[in-house]
Amino acid sequence: MAETPRTLRLSLKTRLLLAAHSFGIRAASRSDHTVNRSVLNIFDPKAAASAKPINGVSSFDNTIDPTRNLWFRLYAPTSTATTDALSVIIFFHGGGFAFMAANSKSFDVLCRRLAREINAVVISVNYRLAPEYKYPCQYEDGFDALKYIDGMTFENFPANLDLGRCFIAGDSAGGNLAHHVVLKACEHTFSNIKIKGLIAMQPFFGGEERTESEIKLVGVPLISVERTDWMWKAFLPEGSDRNHSVVNVFGPNAVDISGVKFPATLLFVGGFDPLQDWQKRYHEGLKKSGKEVHLVEYPNVFHGFYCLPESPEFSLLIGEVKSFVHKQSSLT
């Protein structure tokens, strides 16, 4: 059962940033479950790719399918000897399947720091958004990105990139997307990619039931029941409810994954995240299915804390990911 921490202490700067972001999402979210993209873009600043290293990391954009606006940004650390083989983290951004992009400034900062501090190549995928493109478009885009990367034919492909040490990662909705892409990848034979692990940062799962954390954690930053209900409605096909198998992954309509060769999972949960009970059920579901899963809980963080690098838990998260990547990469 979820326990509600007493006080969430945030700096004035953090509170202002969160308030601006929340206002932008609310202003762009229409009652008919469509998005005003012009309004949203005002509150979602973008960062350009930079071949010139920024803090020891170069970045390049590569197009997969322009008709779907399917592309990715590759982050390569430049402080490493070119002969050293590098693991790769394929990352899917959050935003409730309806907001944000691979070049959103907050995700550019996150992926750049992951690449630098873990000493890995990070590939951040830009996928189609709801409600213009509902399920399963996002999962199709994610898996197609894997197949494209597996071909190793794209521009700026680092010579020392080791696709045999590949990790699939995502935050929030991107964590949900990462889970389902990995499931699909388990059924596919790749030429070069070998998935060593899944990194799920406060993944976006849910269901028709209202959990204790959803009921108790009212007024916390970024996430509310009303907002997540809106997001699921915008994402799911007409007539579907939140017990859909892609939402409530271990619920009444769940797909049995006990026989699937699923990789080890690193799961992050926050004490001020209303979604934490669903994430903990995900942890239990993986364990009951016989899968290796490592749960990391930070009691004093809200949903999406990793997009604000001044959070002390941000450095802890980076350390956990680095340890997980290095450990799983060393396994044969």
Side-chain angles (χ1 to χ4, degrees), residues 85-260:
L86 298 178
S87 299
V88 57
I89 300 172
I90 299 176
F91 180 83
F92 297 103
H93 69 81
F97 295 109
F99 306 102
M100 312 298 281
N103 59 346
S104 292
K105 189 171 183 180
S106 56
F107 288 118
D108 184 76
V109 171
L110 172 62
C111 291
R112 193 176 296 281
R113 185 166 176 182
L114 285 170
R116 181 178 69 253
E117 298 198 23
I118 297 172
N119 197 33
V121 171
V122 176
I123 297 177
S124 181
V125 179
N126 195 76
Y127 53 87
R128 288 173 290 179
L129 298 176
E132 295 90 340
Y133 301 96
K134 290 179 175 286
Y135 164 84
C137 293
Q138 294 75 14
Y139 302 137
E140 292 171 347
D141 288 352
F143 186 63
D144 285 349
L146 254 66
K147 291 190 293 183
Y148 182 87
I149 293 165
D150 186 55
M152 301 181 12
T153 57
F154 54 88
E155 191 177 358
N156 298 309
F157 183 91
N160 56 340
L161 177 64
D162 184 2
L163 288 177
R165 296 188 294 173
C166 181
F167 295 80
I168 310 299
D171 80 290
S172 193
N176 176 303
L177 177 51
H179 168 82
H180 290 289
V181 166
V182 167
L183 273 181
K184 181 69 173 175
C186 290
E187 303 172 351
H188 184 79
T189 301
F190 293 98
S191 298
N192 300 289
I193 284 178
K194 184 175 182 180
I195 298 175
K196 291 286 192 174
L198 167 63
I199 302 165
M201 299 159 59
Q202 297 179 297
F204 186 26
F205 298 119
E208 285 296 304
E209 176 193 348
R210 295 303 187 201
T211 66
E212 182 181 348
S213 61
E214 288 176 312
I215 294 169
K216 286 189 173 182
L217 290 170
V218 177
V220 295
L222 297 181
I223 286 291
S224 67
V225 167
E226 293 75 23
R227 182 169 295 174
T228 55
D229 282 358
W230 186 99
M231 290 171 172
W232 289 127
K233 187 75 173 179
F235 170 69
L236 290 169
E238 195 68 32
S240 300
D241 66 20
R242 295 188 304 276
N243 279 335
H244 192 291
S245 62
V246 300
V247 181
N248 195 350
V249 291
F250 290 109
N253 302 308
V255 176
D256 181 12
I257 66 168
S258 57
V260 177

Side-chain angles (χ1 to χ4, degrees), residues 269-298:
V269 174
F272 279 95
D273 185 355
L275 298 174
Q276 65 180 276
D277 286 345
W278 291 113
Q279 295 155 2
K280 290 174 182 178
R281 289 186 188 184
Y282 176 64
H283 172 249
E284 289 302 314
L286 287 176
K287 287 203 303 182
K288 288 178 180 177
S289 298
K291 310 308 173 191
E292 180 183 350
V293 54
H294 306 274
L295 175 64
V296 179
E297 294 188 70
Y298 298 130

Side-chain angles (χ1 to χ4, degrees), residues 4-23:
T4 308
R6 290 184 180 180
T7 306
L8 179 59
R9 293 182 174 85
L10 300 173
S11 68
L12 177 60
K13 177 184 176 182
T14 296
R15 290 184 182 276
L16 290 174
L17 287 171
L18 292 172
H21 179 81
S22 293
F23 177 82

